[in-house]
Amino acid sequence: MKKKNPLDEELERIDAEKEAPSLLLHSCCAPCSSYVLEYLSSHFRITVFYYNPNIYPSEEYEFRAAEQARFIGELPVKYPVSYIEGAYETDRFYDLAKGLEDAPERGERCHKCYRLRLEETAKLAAEKHFDYFTTTLSISPMKDADVLNAIGGELASQYGVKYLFSDFKKKNGYLRSTELSKEYGMYRQNYCGCVYSMRKEE
């Protein structure tokens, strides 16, 4: 018998409960959130947390934030989805990137950026008494789900909020996100978000 992945097991356990738990979902952009929200919104009461101080330039940040809010308003869901936009604290990202400007994608700079955004999510989840927190980042083929889950697990212990371990690329998650992006006429950026990833694509 094929072993179920940890996310499927957790969702089965959740669905056996009388009330859907709350989930603070960090999102990097609307396209990456599309499949994740479609998949999880029948199991959780979700609040999307758009916290991405890495995004460059500011016009790109604002456009992605607007697309995120628009998509949430249009997606049909079982449980209502709320939206919180975090502070656009670019200095925090540039401080952590110092000395790592030339690091490769998926390397140490990216790992520090994962932690920055996940820690802000965990902190808010604890403050607002959410049952779980997680991120859409693992849906991207460019993001390392093992690293994200390791960071999430550490922060769960630190802040006392459950982390939803996941790799949203599985079950054709990334493919479904591209389909939903087309269906909803979403803007899909051609770089991760930061100025360093933009330069790589030039």
Side-chain angles (χ1 to χ4, degrees):
M1 182 182 292
K2 188 176 179 181
K3 187 178 179 182
K4 293 177 183 175
N5 69 49
L7 178 56
D8 286 339
E9 290 182 345
E10 188 69 3
L11 293 180
E12 282 188 9
R13 191 192 66 75
I14 286 167
D15 289 345
E17 300 292 328
K18 291 182 179 178
E19 187 175 338
S22 58
L23 169 68
L24 186 63
L25 174 66
H26 166 263
S27 177
C28 53
C29 62
C32 286
S33 76
S34 60
Y35 165 73
V36 179
L37 285 171
E38 181 184 66
Y39 180 36
L40 296 182
S41 60
S42 61
H43 306 281
F44 294 93
R45 292 175 289 111
I46 300 174
T47 296
V48 172
F49 181 42
Y50 180 82
Y51 178 72
N52 300 291
N54 57 311
I55 295 177
Y56 174 88
S58 59
E59 293 82 4
E60 177 77 10
Y61 170 89
E62 290 164 4
F63 193 85
R64 293 191 194 188
E67 278 287 86
Q68 181 69 80
R70 177 179 74 85
F71 176 67
I72 289 169
E74 294 179 5
L75 180 71
V77 290
K78 179 177 180 180
Y79 299 110
V81 177
S82 304
Y83 177 63
I84 297 173
E85 183 177 341
Y88 186 40
E89 305 168 312
T90 55
D91 287 350
R92 294 187 69 186
F93 171 72
Y94 289 115
D95 285 346
L96 72 82
K98 282 178 183 175
L100 298 169
E101 293 86 352
D102 297 321
E105 291 297 297
R106 297 173 63 106
E108 187 179 354
R109 185 186 66 243
C110 292
H111 296 174
K112 286 191 171 187
C113 186
Y114 299 167
R115 183 174 291 276
L116 170 66
R117 290 183 280 173
L118 272 171
E119 182 156 17
E120 200 66 21
T121 307
K123 192 183 302 182
L124 183 61
E127 289 173 1
K128 300 288 187 182
H129 307 291
F130 281 85
D131 298 308
Y132 291 82
F133 74 100
T134 196
T135 179
T136 64
L137 287 168
S138 71
I139 200 169
S140 169
M142 294 299 295
K143 301 295 185 291
D144 190 324
D146 290 339
V147 173
L148 287 163
N149 284 328
I151 293 169
E154 290 175 24
L155 294 171
S157 297
Q158 182 178 344
Y159 287 95
V161 182
K162 294 177 185 175
Y163 180 74
L164 191 67
F165 291 90
S166 53
D167 184 350
F168 293 118
K169 289 184 289 294
K170 293 183 175 179
K171 296 184 176 180
N172 291 316
Y174 180 72
L175 175 62
R176 180 58 181 154
S177 76
T178 63
E179 293 172 348
L180 285 165
S181 294
K182 290 176 183 176
E183 183 180 334
Y184 285 86
M186 281 187 221
Y187 160 73
R188 287 184 70 87
Q189 60 279 1
N190 63 358
Y191 67 105
C192 173
C194 75
V195 66
Y196 312 113
S197 61
M198 174 189 269
R199 288 173 185 167
K200 184 181 177 185
E201 293 299 321
E202 289 175 349

